[in-house]
Amino acid sequence: MKRLVLLGGGYGNMRMLLRLLPNQFPEDTIITLVDRNPFHSLKTEFYALAAGTTTDKKVRVNFPEHERLEKVYGEVTKIDRKEKKIYFNDGREISYDDLVIGLGCEDDYHGVPGAEEHTLSIQTIANSRKTFETLCGLPPGSTVAIVGAGLSGIEIASELRESRADLQIKLFDRSKRILRAFPEKLSKYVKEWFESNNVEIISEANITKVEPGKLYNHDEVIEVDAIVWTAGVRPVKIVREMDAEKDKKGRPLVNQYFQLVDDEHVFVIGDCASSDLPASAQLAEEQADRVAQVLKLRWKGQPLPEKMPEIKLKGFMGSLGKKQGFVYIADKTVTGRIARLMKSGLLWMYKRQNEN
């Protein structure tokens, strides 16, 4: 039997399973899904888990069942392309014929001293649980700093405000205006929401050092009780250490089929893969659609298209607590209650699609 290994149970490889199961892969092939957890985690909702406004169970989706779908749980330590093997921290190893790497990312601390040691994370479900325990265990009146005002930073700041009205929340943004890459109308709406809900936005921030209970912004020392780091991501360590040609961010370079440039049997998707588009669940799913197409053509002995269709992201959605939100799609901006309902509806559809 041949083996297709899907490394990581994130959005990309969940889409792979959706496209291949139950009968869109050869009878002589086993699919092996590898993840550290026995479930798919809804990473786009980790901010709510960390803030204490949703439960652990609500951010999990069971992996599908199939007689030729094998699930392997554990911590991967090495990808050996020469031997075509995956190694685990407990000594186990598995071989592959084709490999799809979708291991996601981790926080990028940008070399800031003390950032990794003294800040909280929402990059994994385990880290989000720890962040919840810390934030929701703070005494009344405590100060929480959130470093990074991208989508994750905005969502956890707003959700934490709803969860803990007594906390002092400071959101640090490197830019002059929040969400600077998007229309000013959207930025203004988000800024006004924070102002009306007593969340302080500190613009043009530059965090130079982190110590226990202290954050250094330029030359100013700011006393805080907890710090959540949402200031960018990088590929996970084992992908950064892979023997492969990479970009400046340590992401493996891929061709239009999302294969490594020197290995047609290894595909890389999601936050791990080099791309000019912003990392997102949507991007991982679009890439997985194309990899599934490539694999199906190869299994049938058919040639690959000379040119794959360009990926065009539809937009993005963000929440401001449970009642307000913002949507940017097809160059149009929607804000308020309708935007929040749109995001909730998309989440409901995703869970339903993947749980059936």
Side-chain angles (χ1 to χ4, degrees):
M1 297 287 283
K2 294 181 180 179
R3 177 178 278 169
L4 167 65
V5 173
L6 307 181
L7 208 53
Y11 291 97
N13 278 331
M14 284 294 282
R15 178 61 67 89
M16 288 289 300
L17 292 173
L18 192 66
R19 294 292 181 256
L20 299 180
L21 299 179
N23 55 11
Q24 297 298 306
F25 66 108
E27 293 287 341
D28 66 348
T29 298
I30 291 175
I31 299 176
T32 300
L33 175 66
V34 178
D35 199 88
R36 59 163 66 98
N37 295 311
F39 48 79
H40 167 55
S41 302
L42 301 173
K43 189 174 182 179
T44 58
E45 303 304 303
F46 284 175
Y47 70 92
L49 177 61
T53 57
T54 195
T55 63
D56 193 282
K57 185 177 181 180
K58 288 183 178 179
V59 298
R60 303 194 316 245
V61 173
N62 291 329
F63 292 129
E65 298 290 338
H66 190 276
E67 60 184 6
R68 286 186 290 121
L69 172 61
E70 173 189 43
K71 297 160 196 169
V72 177
Y73 304 122
E75 195 73 33
V76 175
T77 56
K78 184 181 178 182
I79 301 167
D80 189 331
R81 292 202 292 132
K82 184 177 180 181
E83 298 294 329
K84 302 186 77 169
K85 288 185 177 181
I86 306 298
Y87 295 90
F88 294 80
N89 63 350
D90 59 4
R92 288 179 298 159
E93 60 183 62
I94 58 173
S95 300
Y96 66 85
D97 294 284
D98 289 297
L99 174 68
V100 181
I101 301 172
L103 287 171
C105 58
E106 62 187 29
D107 290 299
D108 188 348
Y109 298 100
H110 307 288
V112 176
E116 183 171 3
E117 296 82 1
H118 306 303
T119 66
L120 303 167
S121 171
I122 58 171
Q123 284 303 320
T124 67
I125 193 169
N127 285 338
S128 299
R129 291 171 182 144
K130 293 176 184 177
T131 299
F132 159 74
E133 291 175 0
T134 298
L135 295 181
C136 293
L138 290 171
S142 297
T143 299
V144 176
I146 298 170
V147 180
L151 189 57
S152 295
I154 288 170
E155 290 191 311
I156 192 170
S158 59
E159 204 79 6
L160 186 60
R161 168 50 70 230
E162 288 200 352
S163 175
R164 292 287 306 270
D166 61 290
L167 296 177
Q168 304 298 314
I169 302 174
K170 299 177 182 290
L171 179 61
F172 292 82
D173 188 3
R174 288 185 65 94
S175 305
K176 288 184 179 181
R177 71 174 173 94
I178 209 160
L179 296 175
R180 65 175 179 177
F182 298 95
E184 193 165 350
K185 174 186 175 182
L186 195 155
S187 298
K188 182 180 179 183
Y189 174 77
V190 174
K191 180 182 178 183
E192 289 177 350
W193 190 95
F194 281 131
E195 289 174 347
S196 64
N197 287 274
N198 196 29
V199 174
E200 182 183 1
I201 300 175
I202 301 173
S203 302
E204 299 184 86
N206 182 29
I207 305 305
T208 57
K209 186 166 64 171
V210 179
E211 293 178 351
K214 292 181 181 179
L215 196 63
Y216 291 75
N217 180 31
H218 297 285
D219 296 326
E220 181 185 6
V221 181
I222 301 172
E223 302 283 342
V224 295
D225 297 288
I227 305 167
V228 183
W229 193 269
T230 59
V233 295
R234 61 182 179 177
V236 294
K237 184 178 179 182
I238 63 169
V239 172
R240 298 199 311 272
E241 293 178 346
M242 270 183 62
D243 177 22
E245 189 176 352
K246 305 181 186 72
D247 64 15
K248 293 180 180 179
K249 295 184 179 180
R251 302 175 302 185
L253 298 179
V254 293
N255 59 24
Q256 63 171 334
Y257 309 114
F258 298 99
Q259 301 161 323
L260 290 180
V261 293
D262 63 344
D263 193 336
E264 66 175 344
H265 295 287
V266 177
F267 301 82
V268 188
I269 58 176
D271 300 343
C272 291
S274 181
S275 175
D276 294 329
L277 297 171
S280 66
Q282 182 185 165
L283 177 61
E285 290 175 337
E286 291 289 339
Q287 292 170 337
D289 280 338
R290 285 153 178 75
V291 172
Q293 178 186 351
V294 168
L295 286 172
K296 289 176 185 179
L297 289 172
R298 181 196 285 169
W299 288 330
K300 294 175 182 178
Q302 297 177 1
L304 301 183
E306 290 187 11
K307 185 172 179 59
M308 294 291 282
E310 180 184 358
I311 291 179
K312 294 182 179 180
L313 300 183
K314 299 177 180 65
F316 75 95
M317 299 180 173
S319 66
L320 292 171
K322 290 290 184 280
K323 296 181 179 179
Q324 302 293 316
F326 50 94
V327 171
Y328 182 70
I329 186 167
D331 294 327
K332 296 185 183 299
T333 299
V334 181
T335 58
R337 181 67 172 168
I338 292 176
R340 188 64 180 89
L341 289 171
M342 289 172 68
K343 185 184 178 189
S344 296
L346 183 66
L347 177 63
W348 179 84
M349 288 176 60
Y350 178 85
K351 292 180 75 171
R352 177 171 178 164
Q353 180 186 47
N354 285 279
E355 286 176 340
N356 289 341

